[in-house]
Amino acid sequence: MYASGTLKFMPFRVRVGKAYGPGIFDMKAGLVQALFALQTLKQLNVPLAKRVVLLWTSDEEIGSDTSRKLIEQEARRSDTVFVLEPAFGPKGFLKTSRKGVGEAQLIVRGRAAHAGLAPQEGVNAIHELARQIARLERWNDPRRGVSLNADIVEGGTRTNVIAEHASTALDLRAMTLGDMRRIEKQLHALRPILPGAKIEIRGGFNRPPMERKMSAELFARAKALGRQMGLSLGECSAGGGSDGNFTAALGVPTLDGLGAIGDGAHSEREHIVISSLAPRAALLAALIAAS
């Protein structure tokens, strides 16, 4: 999520126990931890009952369009998936559930007319869109983790012309597969409210939810191993998605948030806590050995 040349004004640096740099927290440090975890297992001659595959992709932040097929292919022949996305918060919580994420476009077509001479001959696409957005707002359910937000709105050409076109980009979030499917069904069942208006829905969810049931057993294992290592591990639910959403939706046990502890992802403040790297790498090594 950083432009070319960012290192010129945001160089790697270490200050008061923290390392700074673009992408260091989300999620380059997690990749480093994975390498050291495997190196440790090799140096200690720990026998591994299963083949370990490191899959590193570079398009997660923009939807995983090119890597999703490969991720799902590897997941189908895997028993367990460990995701090295950043830990949550200063205590390094693991992420045991994530919302499904999507983007849809609601397009409205009306009929243009002169706003002064013959407004009754027109169908105002913006008015229709406003009514549809108000309808969608009622679908929000914070307790269930369901949200639909109209975040970009466009429409109209001139103030004296009844708007013929209008559209909005919708951010979609859901905590369960059931809610995700319900929202998509409701979206595609939308019908116009104003006579003469036409609506179209494009897009939908592109990342299914990672439900907690797919990580519960792995988290319990991680917590037990952490206890032996003197680590107190907590868990959390994340509103954003990761590639772990894809693997969990296929029924493969998935544990996320095993990466570094830090803060400031995608900003000039992005950093990791250096002292957290070795314990987190050791936890990953232990999880791999126990799988």
Side-chain angles (χ1 to χ4, degrees), residues 11 40 45 50 87-88 120 123 129 154 170 188 217 235 266:
T40 299
N45 294 315
K50 298 171 184 175
F88 180 81
Q120 72 282 358
V123 178
L129 181 62
E154 299 176 329
L170 302 168
H188 289 282
E217 185 177 339
E235 63 176 307
H266 304 182

Side-chain angles (χ1 to χ4, degrees), residues 27 30 33 75 78-88 92-98 210-226 233-238 242-249 251-260 280 283-288 290-291:
M27 55 179 282
Q33 288 174 195
S78 299
D79 295 324
T80 304
V81 173
F82 297 123
V83 183
L84 277 298
E85 282 279 337
F88 180 81
F93 288 171
L94 303 186
K95 297 168 183 177
T96 52
S97 63
R98 284 182 176 273
M210 185 181 86
E211 299 189 38
R212 189 184 181 279
K213 63 184 179 182
M214 298 311 304
S215 62
E217 185 177 339
L218 286 176
F219 175 70
R221 188 186 307 172
K223 195 168 184 179
L225 290 169
L233 296 175
E235 63 176 307
C236 71
S237 176
S242 80
D243 288 336
N245 291 51
F246 297 136
T247 62
V252 183
T254 300
L255 186 58
D256 203 337
L258 286 160
R280 305 287 286 195
L283 174 64
L284 178 61
L287 282 165
I288 293 172
S291 296

